[in-house]
Amino acid sequence: MGNQALSTGFSIGGLLVFGTTTSLIAKIAYELEGEGLDGHQKFFRKPWAMATIMFLGMSFCLPFAYIEEMQARRKQRSTADLERDAAAAPLLGDADLELDAGKAGKMREILMLSIPTIFDLVATVLMNIGLLNVTASVYQMMRGAEMLFAALFTCVFLNRMLNKSHYLGILCCVVGICLVGLSSVLSGEGSATQKIAPSEMLIGMGLIIGSQAVQAAQVTFEDYFMSDLNIAPLKIVGYEGVFGFIFMAAFMLPLVQRLPGTDGDGLHEDSFDTWHMITHSRALPIVLLIDMFALLSYNFAGMCVTGSLGAVFRTVLETMRTLFVWLTDLLLWYTPLGFSTLGESWNRYSWLQALG
């Protein structure tokens, strides 16, 4: 009993710590400088590369999912199972057919995961481009807009009804998002190292809110079409990571390489320049590896919390990430931990953000 409580405690702590880390590291990477192909130092404003790295980090969940599955199967085996298998020897031909049918069904289920992966890919890219122009705390708070779109889509497409408390919650969410956005524009702080114009902040917040509409559509799709899939959640995360990484590496990165625009603005992105910056910097590879490890640990801890305490508890716990991200950002700004270049300051408009 004591070991289980300790394990649950570590899972809760891991979810908060690594969940906070993933949001902060994404912004920290944008604040770091490296040598570009032209030999000049510049900021690592590479949202498409960051999205690819995120999917790569998610894909590492897959080995752990299969290890977990193997351990579960070993626990289920017993002497009675072996005896039953021996007694059923004359029916092995039928058993093989059932096994083949089961494998085919599993493969179809796995391929189905490529559809929500496309939603996730679009949402992730929009979020990463939006993060270029806002602070990590504003980014995290704006992600609360997913609830609004999820409620709208479930009413329109799934014919579900909302009660008065739901509408009150949605109203509070709208007011909170507006206050957070207003505080960000008034303070003029979208980055600790770069000057961000108010119009760029508004575009960034708009992209993040748009990304939450896409994620809400993903959740609605999964609820309607995939609720009966018999796949472990950790395996779903892993396969979405694999499919997402393949889509990004094989199609999206070559595409944005050829698009017009300036590297770092979110549309055009030079992957050769990205690789050069990573391989010619000490800090960037470390930060990106931490990001992948944090993504893996966050998803693993999340599955443990869901398994031990349920999805509702995890959802409530996830909302605390917003507070932790903001507190850590303030800590980085006012302590040597931020190296005088990371985090965000407390200003006269921060009270609006706190209220939001």
Side-chain angles (χ1 to χ4, degrees), residues 105-284:
K106 281 287 183 187
M107 186 56 66
R108 281 194 297 270
E109 289 183 342
I110 290 170
L111 290 175
M112 274 284 289
L113 295 175
S114 63
I115 300 173
T117 299
I118 295 172
F119 284 103
D120 202 12
L121 187 150
V122 174
T124 302
V125 169
L126 290 175
M127 279 191 290
N128 278 283
I129 295 174
L131 183 58
L132 289 171
N133 299 324
V134 299
T135 60
S137 64
V138 171
Y139 159 80
Q140 189 64 42
M141 292 177 192
M142 287 290 160
R143 293 181 66 177
E146 181 181 355
M147 185 187 74
L148 310 178
F149 295 107
L152 174 64
F153 294 158
T154 52
C155 289
V156 174
F157 298 110
L158 303 182
N159 296 319
R160 294 178 184 168
M161 302 297 293
L162 300 179
N163 58 40
K164 291 181 180 179
S165 62
H166 292 150
Y167 286 114
L168 179 61
I170 290 170
L171 177 63
C172 289
C173 190
V174 170
V175 172
I177 289 171
C178 291
L179 289 174
V180 170
L182 181 63
S183 70
S184 180
V185 173
L186 290 175
S187 68
E189 187 177 14
S191 169
T193 57
Q194 304 153 58
K195 182 67 177 174
I196 307 294
S199 59
E200 292 175 321
M201 289 184 201
L202 288 171
I203 291 171
M205 287 185 281
L207 288 172
I208 295 168
I209 291 173
S211 74
Q212 298 313 291
V214 177
Q215 286 207 317
Q218 176 188 348
V219 171
T220 307
F221 175 87
E222 290 174 341
D223 191 12
Y224 188 77
F225 290 103
M226 303 177 65
S227 57
D228 296 329
L229 286 188
N230 187 27
I231 303 178
L234 198 62
K235 198 180 285 187
I236 290 175
V237 173
Y239 275 115
E240 287 187 356
V242 170
F243 289 137
F245 179 75
I246 292 171
F247 286 154
M248 291 297 296
F251 301 108
M252 300 312 299
L253 290 181
L255 175 63
V256 297
Q257 177 88 21
R258 291 165 174 78
L259 289 177
T262 304
D263 193 289
D265 286 345
L267 188 59
H268 168 76
E269 186 168 301
D270 189 339
S271 296
F272 297 109
D273 184 67
T274 301
W275 181 251
H276 186 87
M277 290 185 72
I278 294 172
T279 53
H280 288 75
S281 169
R282 290 183 178 179
L284 271 174

Side-chain angles (χ1 to χ4, degrees), residues 58-70:
M58 288 170 59
S59 69
F60 290 134
C61 291
L62 207 52
F64 289 93
Y66 276 106
I67 291 170
E68 193 175 57
E69 187 179 277
M70 287 171 60

Side-chain angles (χ1 to χ4, degrees), residues 37-79:
L37 275 175
D38 57 3
H40 295 99
Q41 292 288 313
K42 62 180 181 180
F43 292 106
F44 188 75
R45 292 170 62 88
K46 304 283 188 176
W48 294 88
M50 290 299 294
T52 307
I53 290 166
M54 190 210 76
F55 282 117
L56 182 60
M58 288 170 59
S59 69
F60 290 134
C61 291
L62 207 52
F64 289 93
Y66 276 106
I67 291 170
E68 193 175 57
E69 187 179 277
M70 287 171 60
Q71 289 175 342
R73 284 178 179 174
R74 284 174 184 170
K75 288 180 181 178
Q76 289 174 355
R77 286 174 185 166
S78 63
T79 308

